[in-house]
């Protein structure tokens, strides 16, 4: 009877064992064997493929980035999950908040990568990250409305230090014309009015700065405001003597300005600040920021996973311990730091280790989000495995990377399983 029961048990296990052998054991064994052969698969290469793990520049960059991923991604995701779980425990809308935070888990890595490729777009009109960043920046440092303005033909201005200065000094009682071109009509400042013709005033220096361009061939008068031309509202004008600013003014909506008698004999300067290029934000997907940017997208996806597991662990924390701490005079921060976190330590460890295993194998986000120009800088081991195996036709090195990844994952998996078994025995 005992032998019959063992046979029946073996028959039930056989399909699972066959699948396990075909999909797990055989590929692992084949990868180990293949890692000792050369590119063709015919010549024995020994440990040359494993030596390449520490001498190939691409693999070394990938290894360095994997270390950054393992250190920061699980830590940040677990910390955010803990904060979300604790803060939403007592509020009425906590369940709705948890649902929103957990929702990215329902999105595939491919879809998340496409989303964040758009989020990190350099153009503030397309990328949300730079739209927010530029909005905050422009709140404190407004960009110029005239980044492309420059003197036209027969202009009284010449370039100097990023700005423009008059060729000759000005005198009181003169009306000065400072025409510029190069600003598209839809980029003119809000509130710009038709340019006013400069009128001389005794004891003062007056003038107008405007867009000296009228659409149409042969239309308009060069060097004089026409009815369709607009003033450079807000343009700063400085009077400079011996390298020192003696007076300054800001152009009105119609481009007109007035300087006092102190500007007599000075050169008029349109400083470089008038022509400062608009701030376009950060190059999120450039070589220096691409890895932190991709880690941010990973945290967005997996913080909800950490929050749900930690919230489940928090539900099992004895409330009398928390209340006892409060009765003893502990504030909420002390209760959180000295009671809640120590009691949640096993759950936090499981979450962090699970995320470590996950980030060691990260591939999709890096492959999709990082553009070709900075993919080398964002490289990770799983992506380098793909590139060596399929793009560079080095299956031996790719197999060595796969074995190396397996060796990295096994200790972490063993630690996680051991801890889970310990929790079950409790």
């Amino acid at each position: 009877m005992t032998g019959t029961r063992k046979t029946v048990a073996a028959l039930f296990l056989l399909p699972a064992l066959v699948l396990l052998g075909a999909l797990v054991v055989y590929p692992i064994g084949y990868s180990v064997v293949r890692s000792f052969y050369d590119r063709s698969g015919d010549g024995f290469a020994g440990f040359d493929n494993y030596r390449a793990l520490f001498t190939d520049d691409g693999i070394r960059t990938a290894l360095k980035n994997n270390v950054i991923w393992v250190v920061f991604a699980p830590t940040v995701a677990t910390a955010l999950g803990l904060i979300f779980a604790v803060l939403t425990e007592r509020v009425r809308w906590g369940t709705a908040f948890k649902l929103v935070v957990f929702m990215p888990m329902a999105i595939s890595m491919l879809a998340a990568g496409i989303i964040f490729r758009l989020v990190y777009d350099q153009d503030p009109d397309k990328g949300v990250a730079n739209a927010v960043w530029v909005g905050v920046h422009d709140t404190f440092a407004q960009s110029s409305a005239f980044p492309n303005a420059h003197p036209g033909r027969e202009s009284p201005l010449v370039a100097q230090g990023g700005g423009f200065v008059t060729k000759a000094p000005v005198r009181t009682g003169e009306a000065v014309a400072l025409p510029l071109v190069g600003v598209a009509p839809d980029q003119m400042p809000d509130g710009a009015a038709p340019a006013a013709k400069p009128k001389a005033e005794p004891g003062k220096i007056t003038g107008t700065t405007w867009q000296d361009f009228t659409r149409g061939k042969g239309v308009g008068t060069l060097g004089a405001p026409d009815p369709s031309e607009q003033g450079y509202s807000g343009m700063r004008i400085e009077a400079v003597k011996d390298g020192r600013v003696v007076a300054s003014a800001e152009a009105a909506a119609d481009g007109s300005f007035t300087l006092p008698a102190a500007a007599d004999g000075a050169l008029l300067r349109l400083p470089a600040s008038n022509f400062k290029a608009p701030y376009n934000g950060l190059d999120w997907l450039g070589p220096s920021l691409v890895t932190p940017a991709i880690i941010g997208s990973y945290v967005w996806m997996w913080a909800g996973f950490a929050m749900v597991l930690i919230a489940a662990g928090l539900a099992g924390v004895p409330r009398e311990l928390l209340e006892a701490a409060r009765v003893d005079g502990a504030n909420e921060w002390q209760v959180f730091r000295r009671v809640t976190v120590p009691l949640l330590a096993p759950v936090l460890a499981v979450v962090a280790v699970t995320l470590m295993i996950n980030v060691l194998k990260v591939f999709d986000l890096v492959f999709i989000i990082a553009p070709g120009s900075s993919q080398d800088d964002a490289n990770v081991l799983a992506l380098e495995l793909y590139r060596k195996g399929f793009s560079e036709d080095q299956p031996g090195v790719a197999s060595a990377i796969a074995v190396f990844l397996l060796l990295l994952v096994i200790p972490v998996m063993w630690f996680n399983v051991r801890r889970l078994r310990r929790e079950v025995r409790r």
Side-chain angles (χ1 to χ4, degrees):
M1 187 69 178
T2 304
T4 304
R5 296 176 77 176
K6 287 183 178 179
T7 303
V8 172
L11 288 173
F12 274 105
L13 288 173
L14 184 60
L17 292 174
V18 170
L19 286 173
L20 185 66
L23 300 178
V24 178
V25 178
Y26 173 74
I28 291 176
Y30 181 80
S31 296
V32 172
V33 173
R34 188 67 182 80
S35 67
F36 290 102
Y37 284 82
D38 60 14
R39 178 176 298 188
S40 66
D42 298 325
F44 186 74
F47 288 95
D48 289 348
N49 293 327
Y50 289 95
R51 196 174 294 115
L53 298 179
F54 305 99
T55 56
D56 185 276
D57 289 339
I59 300 176
R60 289 167 63 182
T61 301
L63 188 58
K64 180 194 71 173
N65 286 336
N66 263 100
V67 172
I68 295 172
W69 272 89
V70 169
V71 170
F72 290 100
T75 303
V76 175
T78 304
L80 284 177
L82 175 62
I83 293 170
F84 291 155
V86 171
L87 292 181
T88 58
E89 187 186 20
R90 298 184 182 181
V91 296
R92 288 180 299 176
W93 44 267
T95 302
F97 180 82
K98 290 177 182 176
L99 179 64
V100 172
V101 175
F102 187 75
M103 198 175 294
M105 283 296 298
I107 303 174
S108 68
M109 285 281 197
L110 172 65
I114 293 172
I115 290 169
F116 275 89
R117 183 66 181 266
L118 295 173
V119 167
Y120 291 133
D121 195 288
Q122 178 70 41
D123 186 352
D125 293 331
K126 298 178 182 177
V128 175
N130 263 344
V132 173
W133 192 264
V134 169
V136 173
H137 174 274
D138 288 351
T139 300
F140 301 98
Q142 187 65 40
S143 298
S144 168
F146 321 109
N148 299 315
H150 60 274
R153 292 180 293 122
E154 302 177 19
S155 174
L157 297 166
V158 293
Q160 184 188 76
F164 305 101
V165 65
T166 54
K167 297 175 183 177
V170 295
R171 298 294 176 184
T172 54
E174 286 185 3
V176 183
L178 301 179
L180 294 169
V181 295
V183 180
D186 59 344
Q187 294 180 350
M188 289 295 288
D190 294 336
K197 292 184 178 181
K199 296 179 180 179
E201 293 185 22
K204 297 179 181 178
I205 296 170
T206 57
T208 300
T209 178
W210 79 99
Q211 173 81 350
D212 189 22
F213 178 80
T214 302
R215 193 179 298 274
K217 186 176 181 180
V219 178
T221 304
L222 185 66
D226 296 313
S228 62
E229 296 172 349
Q230 291 184 306
Y232 281 138
S233 175
M235 178 75 76
R236 182 174 175 80
I237 299 96
E238 296 176 344
V240 181
K241 283 184 180 179
D242 300 323
R244 185 169 55 91
V245 178
V246 295
S248 63
E250 188 173 288
D254 59 3
S256 61
F257 62 90
T258 302
L259 292 167
D264 183 56
L267 294 173
L268 296 190
R269 180 174 68 187
L270 304 179
S273 58
N274 288 317
F275 313 102
K276 184 171 59 176
Y279 181 68
N280 285 321
L282 298 176
D283 187 8
W284 295 102
L285 299 182
S288 59
L289 290 177
V290 63
T291 294
I294 299 173
I295 290 176
S297 67
Y298 177 89
V299 170
W300 175 78
M301 287 192 68
W302 286 87
F305 167 82
M307 177 195 66
V308 169
L309 291 188
I310 295 170
L314 192 61
V317 172
R319 300 296 150 182
E320 56 269 18
L321 294 178
L322 304 179
E323 294 303 325
R326 293 187 182 99
V327 170
D328 288 342
N331 56 36
E332 291 300 322
W333 168 245
Q334 291 171 326
V335 171
F336 172 75
R337 186 165 59 90
R338 298 180 180 273
V339 181
T340 304
V341 172
L343 289 174
L344 287 174
V347 178
L348 296 176
V350 169
V351 171
V353 171
T354 302
L355 293 178
M356 283 181 186
I357 296 172
N358 190 269
V359 300
L360 281 171
K361 303 178 295 180
V362 69
F363 165 80
D364 319 56
L365 288 176
V366 180
F367 182 71
I368 297 165
I369 296 177
S373 59
S374 58
Q375 198 169 83
D376 288 343
D377 301 284
N379 201 8
V380 290
L381 286 174
L383 177 59
E384 186 64 15
L385 187 158
Y386 169 82
R387 294 169 70 176
K388 292 294 185 188
F390 296 97
S391 299
E392 301 178 21
D393 191 26
Q394 298 185 45
V397 177
S399 298
I401 296 173
V403 174
F404 182 64
L405 265 176
L406 178 65
L407 294 176
L408 291 178
V409 170
I410 285 176
V412 184
M413 290 179 62
W414 175 81
F415 175 81
N416 212 16
V417 171
R418 189 164 173 265
R419 179 172 284 278
L420 287 172
R421 286 179 174 175
R422 190 185 306 159
E423 292 299 318
V424 170
R425 284 198 296 268
R426 289 181 183 177

